[in-house]
């Protein structure tokens, strides 16, 4: 039965801000929440699972889905496409399941335009230098991709005022606690 209390918790942050760790923590603390698995044309990282982290599809398949209007929103960056699949979101909400999203800033703003019961949470890195350092240590990107991600981080930070909440991730444990409090308040 539809539960109109179901909400969309939409997380955005420049990559390397600790967003993935925080989102995992949310899903652990609120075990009734589900994660919105996006589609992407980017290559799968060794730590990622098909259908769990993303649906990894070809550019042709992605473009077909765009033409068929299957996305709530989609963005292209770093030469790859990323999109939120409408039927999956609607399916979760129809079941009354609150859904957690991890999308870029423009995606978050687009989601809120479609679903008014969205709560937008921006995870901010302490500084661009710290972010750079974290990305270098993570070592999952080529130098060129790393440079692009840093440029993008600066752009993403300029959108943070359009979010309902901004959580600064200076200390990961503190940031996790703050996010938990926000959600407890919103439930
Ligand atoms: P990554 O390649 O590091 O997994 O993701 C790159 C960026 O794409 C991140 O900012 C991530 O949040 C964003 N992203 C992932 N899925 C989607 C989506 O469905 N839509 C949008 N707009 N961005 C997404």
């Amino acid at each position: 039965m539809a539960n109109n209390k179901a909400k969309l918790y939409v997380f955005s942050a420049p990559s390397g801000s600790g967003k993935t760790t925080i989102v995992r923590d949310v899903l652990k603390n609120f075990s009734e929440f589900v994660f919105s698995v996006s589609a992407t044309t980017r290559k799968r990282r060794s730590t990622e699972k098909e259908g769990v982290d993303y649906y990894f599809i070809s550019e042709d398949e992605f473009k077909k889905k765009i033409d068929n209007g299957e996305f709530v929103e989609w963005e292209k960056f770093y030469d790859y496409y990323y999109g939120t699949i409408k039927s999956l979101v609607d399916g979760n909400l129809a079941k009354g399941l609150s859904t957690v999203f991890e999308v870029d800033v423009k995606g978050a703003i687009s989601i809120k335009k479609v679903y008014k019961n969205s709560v937008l949470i921006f995870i901010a890195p302490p500084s661009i230098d710290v972010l750079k350092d974290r990305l270098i240590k993570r070592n999952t990107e080529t130098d060129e991709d790393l440079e692009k991600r840093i440029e993008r981080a600066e752009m993403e930070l300029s959108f943070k005022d359009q979010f309902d909440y901004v959580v600064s991730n200076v200390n990961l444990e503190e940031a996790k606690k703050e996010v938990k409090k926000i959600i407890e308040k919103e439930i």
Side-chain angles (χ1 to χ4, degrees):
M1 193 171 65
N3 167 358
N4 58 17
K5 277 193 185 158
K7 284 192 178 176
L8 298 85
Y9 295 96
V10 188
F11 288 85
S12 283
S15 61
S17 303
K19 173 184 51 175
T20 305
T21 315
I22 290 173
V23 166
R24 284 204 190 119
D25 195 61
V26 168
L27 291 165
K28 197 181 82 194
N29 290 330
F30 301 91
S31 55
E32 69 280 22
F33 287 9
V34 292
F35 180 64
S36 167
V37 181
S38 296
T40 185
T41 59
R42 150 165 98 56
K43 285 199 200 78
R44 189 174 66 81
R45 295 182 187 134
S46 60
T47 53
E48 293 174 326
K49 287 200 184 86
E50 165 69 25
V52 174
D53 297 286
Y54 282 108
Y55 294 105
F56 296 93
I57 63 176
S58 69
E59 202 167 309
D60 278 352
E61 282 176 90
F62 200 101
K63 285 182 177 161
K64 258 185 228 149
K65 287 187 186 297
I66 296 176
D67 292 344
N68 293 338
E70 290 181 44
F71 292 116
V72 177
E73 60 76 37
W74 62 270
E75 295 286 336
K76 185 185 183 200
F77 43 92
Y78 323 130
D79 302 328
Y80 306 120
Y81 291 85
Y82 295 81
T84 305
I85 302 165
K86 191 162 193 333
S87 59
L88 298 182
V89 179
D90 289 342
N92 288 334
L93 294 177
K95 285 186 225 150
L97 299 172
S98 281
T99 305
V100 177
F101 297 74
E102 193 185 321
V103 298
D104 88 303
V105 287
K106 289 184 187 160
I109 292 160
S110 302
I111 289 171
K112 187 146 189 167
K113 282 194 187 130
V114 179
Y115 300 98
K116 303 293 175 217
N117 49 339
S118 300
V119 180
L120 305 192
I121 305 170
F122 188 91
I123 309 293
S127 70
I128 289 286
D129 282 344
V130 171
L131 188 82
K132 210 184 244 179
D133 207 46
R134 286 182 188 167
L135 280 175
I136 291 168
K137 284 202 188 110
R138 190 171 82 179
N139 198 22
T140 51
E141 264 67 43
T142 61
D143 283 356
E144 199 194 330
D145 272 356
L146 194 103
E147 210 43 57
K148 284 190 199 158
R149 278 171 191 259
I150 290 162
E151 266 172 38
R152 191 169 174 91
E154 286 168 343
M155 181 284 284
E156 296 211 81
L157 274 168
S158 70
F159 279 83
K160 71 179 192 319
D161 295 345
Q162 296 185 46
F163 280 64
D164 299 307
Y165 299 94
V166 177
V167 174
S168 179
N169 181 11
V170 176
N171 172 297
L172 187 59
E173 290 313 309
E174 289 303 317
K176 283 182 190 169
K177 274 190 211 152
E178 201 177 328
V179 167
K180 189 163 178 259
K181 269 196 209 143
I182 290 170
I183 297 176
E184 281 165 350
K185 195 177 92 185
E186 289 285 344
I187 283 176

